[in-house]
């Protein structure tokens, strides 16, 4: 008979729902940062992830991630979601499957920001399920499954600094490199068309992140409380750090910078939220806000067209959070943790964090490149320059986001929204 705590189960059901809501939030976050002719294309990619990853996870993804295989591969014991009659702690196993599904959905959706404006939808439709099964699920197994090789070595990743953010971040950079630069980049006008959309998406992401992080305690308990509180603290402090960099570097603090700083803080605290103290979360958030803001200026110098700075926020933030966990983790917050260096722990704790980061970046980077190149030389990866000029919305989906009726009732016309002027380096 399944052991079940109704309070824990209720919390996990709620967490699952609000983590799913993060993906539409991400769609608005990214959609607002592109030009008006590409907003539906960005939203479509994110909603498509909800559909295709749900299918891939249900058939084979969950089994690969959490099956009883070996240290590197879960196998096919849970193929087609069979044999889910047991429990995971105080919650039914089927609830754990649903909760983890929402993580699997948003991770490839994060990648869409790096390839905005130029990836063919047909190529994206092939890339996502392959990447989900061949990259995301194995890394989730390594880090989170009780028989995963990194889990058994003691790597600490409470809610996805390596599995979600560093993983998606490096994949985003690799895919952007294989895909090539946008037509007209960097000299063209790529300013965001709707900053309020970005702020709306940020708010949805922030709320959903409480389920993302606090839900990873797998129960309505003290540890979930720490994870939620640490998430709020780090995110708020990261906003201040990002805005301070903007003010000193550019002379003005922007609303887009505030949104980007919030996401940077959310990313960095993700692996640490269930292991550090509230004071530790201040350090994590502050460092992330400053470092990620500075990292946004790198892409122009190295010539990588990471359209919406997925690398600067998710790759840098995820790696930073994972490594800082090795400094600030404390058993006072989580008895299952290892004390970090600042709490008297050995340097080997940081070494295990670095190993988890390195393994994630190496595997994800190589397999992503293989998948992307295979698609590039078969069905094609990139939209033509002509289609890029037309825009994703019309060229790929036959739609337009904005239609306005002329004053005086003389019919309708399609117009573009004048973009808000903001520095490119803060388009996170």
């Amino acid at each position: 008979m399944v052991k079940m705590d109704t309070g824990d189960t209720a919390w996990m059901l709620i967490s699952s729902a609000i983590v799913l809501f993060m993906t539409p939030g991400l769609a608005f976050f990214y959609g607002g940062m592109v030009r008006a002719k590409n907003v539906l294309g960005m939203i479509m990619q994110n909603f498509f992830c909800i559909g295709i990853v749900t299918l891939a996870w249900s058939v084979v993804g969950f089994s690969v991630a959490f099956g009883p295989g070996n240290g590197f591969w879960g196998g096919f014991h849970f193929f087609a979601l069979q044999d889910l009659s047991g429990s995971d702690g105080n919650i039914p196993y089927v609830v754990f499957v649903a909760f983890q599904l929402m993580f699997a959905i948003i991770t490839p959706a994060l990648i869409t920001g790096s390839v905005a404006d130029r990836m063919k939808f047909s190529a994206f439709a092939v890339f996502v399920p392959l990447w989900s099964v061949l990259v995301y699920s194995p890394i989730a197994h390594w880090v989170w499954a009780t028989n995963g090789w990194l889990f058994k070595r003691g790597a600490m990743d409470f809610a996805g600094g390596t599995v979600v953010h560093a993983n998606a971040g490096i994949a985003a950079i690799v895919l952007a490199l294989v895909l090539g630069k946008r037509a007209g980049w960097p000299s063209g006008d790529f300013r965001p068309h709707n900053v309020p959309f970005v702020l709306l998406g940020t708010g949805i992401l922030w709320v959903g992140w409480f389920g993302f992080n606090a839900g990873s305690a797998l129960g309505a308990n003290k540890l979930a409380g720490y994870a939620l509180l640490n998430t709020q603290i780090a995110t708020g402090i990261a906003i201040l750090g990002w805005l301070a960099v903007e003010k000193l570097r550019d002379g003005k603090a922007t609303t887009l910078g505030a949104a980007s700083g919030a996401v940077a803080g959310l990313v960095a605290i993700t692996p640490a939220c269930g292991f550090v103290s509230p004071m530790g979360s201040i350090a994590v958030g502050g460092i992330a806000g400053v470092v990620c803001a500075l990292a946004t200026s790198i892409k122009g110098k190295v010539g990588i067209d990471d359209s919406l700075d997925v690398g600067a926020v998710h790759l840098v933030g995820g790696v930073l959070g994972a490594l800082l966990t090795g400094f600030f983790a404390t058993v006072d917050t989580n008895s299952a943790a290892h004390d970090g260096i600042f709490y008297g722990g050995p340097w080997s704790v940081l070494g295990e964090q670095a190993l988890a980061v390195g393994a994630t970046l190496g595997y994800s980077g190589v397999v992503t490149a293989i998948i992307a190149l295979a698609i590039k030389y078969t069905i094609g990866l990139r939209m033509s320059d002509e289609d890029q000029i037309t825009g994703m919305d019309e060229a790929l989906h036959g739609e337009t986001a904005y239609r306005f009726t002329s004053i005086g009732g003389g019919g309708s016309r399609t117009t573009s929204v004048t973009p808000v002027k903001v520095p490119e380096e803060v388009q996170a």
Side-chain angles (χ1 to χ4, degrees), residues 87-88 136 157 165 168 172 180-181 183 190 215 231 244 298 316 364 416 422:
S87 64
D88 190 296
Y136 176 80
D157 185 356
H165 298 291
K181 302 172 184 177
F190 295 96
T231 298
I298 294 175
V316 173
S364 179
S416 296
V422 294

Side-chain angles (χ1 to χ4, degrees), residues 2-12 87 89-92 218-220:
V2 176
K3 177 183 178 183
M4 183 180 72
D5 181 284
T6 55
D8 289 344
T9 301
W11 166 238
M12 294 310 300
S87 64
N90 291 333
I91 65 172
L218 300 183

Side-chain angles (χ1 to χ4, degrees), residues 33-411:
M33 281 194 282
V34 296
R35 291 165 292 178
K37 63 184 179 181
N38 294 315
V39 57
L40 294 180
M42 294 304 299
I43 292 175
M44 176 63 163
Q45 288 180 350
N46 283 264
F47 270 78
F48 179 78
C49 284
I50 297 175
I52 196 65
V53 176
T54 296
L55 176 61
W57 187 254
S58 300
V59 175
V60 69
F62 175 77
S63 189
V64 170
F66 292 98
N70 54 47
F72 296 90
W73 182 262
F76 300 104
H77 176 79
F78 294 116
F79 181 81
L81 297 185
Q82 59 183 341
D83 194 23
L84 301 182
S85 58
S87 64
D88 190 296
N90 291 333
I91 65 172
Y93 205 56
V94 66
V95 176
F96 176 75
V97 174
F99 180 65
Q100 288 295 335
L101 166 60
M102 309 316 171
F103 283 68
I105 287 170
I106 198 170
T107 304
L110 295 173
I111 301 172
T112 62
S114 71
V115 297
D117 300 359
R118 65 199 189 278
M119 188 170 184
K120 290 169 59 178
F121 183 71
S122 57
F124 182 79
V126 174
F127 175 83
V128 171
L130 289 175
W131 191 89
S132 180
V133 173
L134 298 178
V135 179
Y136 176 80
S137 288
I139 292 176
H141 183 78
W142 299 354
V143 177
W144 285 338
T146 54
N147 61 335
W149 72 279
L150 289 172
F151 181 91
K152 289 192 292 186
R153 291 184 63 95
M156 292 181 286
D157 185 356
F158 194 76
T162 51
V163 177
V164 176
H165 298 291
N167 186 9
I170 189 64
I173 295 298
V174 169
L175 190 56
L177 286 170
V178 175
L179 194 60
K181 302 172 184 177
R182 286 169 287 180
W185 189 86
S187 58
D189 186 353
F190 295 96
R191 291 172 294 178
H193 87 284
N194 194 326
V195 176
F197 266 20
V198 179
L199 273 293
L200 172 63
T202 303
I204 295 172
L205 284 168
W206 196 330
V207 172
W209 227 292
F210 290 133
F212 200 87
N213 287 357
S216 293
L218 300 183
N221 50 39
K222 181 179 179 181
L223 183 57
Y226 266 117
L228 189 150
L229 179 60
N230 287 337
T231 298
Q232 176 64 28
I233 292 172
T235 305
I237 300 304
I239 292 174
L240 303 181
W242 190 295
L243 294 180
V245 170
E246 276 195 333
K247 182 65 176 177
L248 293 172
R249 181 183 60 192
D250 309 319
K252 293 182 180 180
T254 68
T255 52
L256 187 60
S260 302
V263 174
L266 290 164
V267 168
I269 197 60
T270 291
C273 62
F275 298 119
V276 303
S277 69
M279 291 300 99
S281 68
I282 291 178
V284 171
I287 294 169
V290 170
V291 173
C292 290
L294 293 172
T296 58
S297 61
I298 294 175
K299 71 175 183 180
K301 296 177 181 178
V302 299
I304 299 175
D305 187 10
D306 173 11
S307 304
L308 307 180
D309 289 327
V310 179
V313 175
H314 294 277
L315 174 56
V316 173
V319 169
L320 199 60
L323 296 179
L324 288 174
T325 302
F327 287 96
F328 292 102
T330 169
V331 297
D332 292 337
T333 296
N334 188 339
S335 59
H338 309 285
D339 276 331
I341 292 170
F342 291 160
Y343 288 84
W347 283 92
S348 60
V349 174
L350 179 60
E352 295 300 332
Q353 296 301 104
L355 176 62
V357 167
T360 297
L361 299 185
Y363 180 80
S364 179
V366 170
V367 180
T368 299
I370 293 171
I371 296 171
L373 288 169
I375 296 173
K376 179 178 180 179
Y377 292 111
T378 51
I379 66 173
L381 197 65
R382 176 187 173 91
M383 296 169 59
S384 67
D385 287 356
E386 181 180 352
D387 282 347
Q388 289 183 55
I389 293 171
T390 300
M392 297 171 70
D393 296 0
E394 291 192 13
L396 298 181
H397 307 295
E399 299 175 296
T400 183
Y402 305 103
R403 296 189 67 86
F404 300 97
T405 301
S406 300
I407 296 175

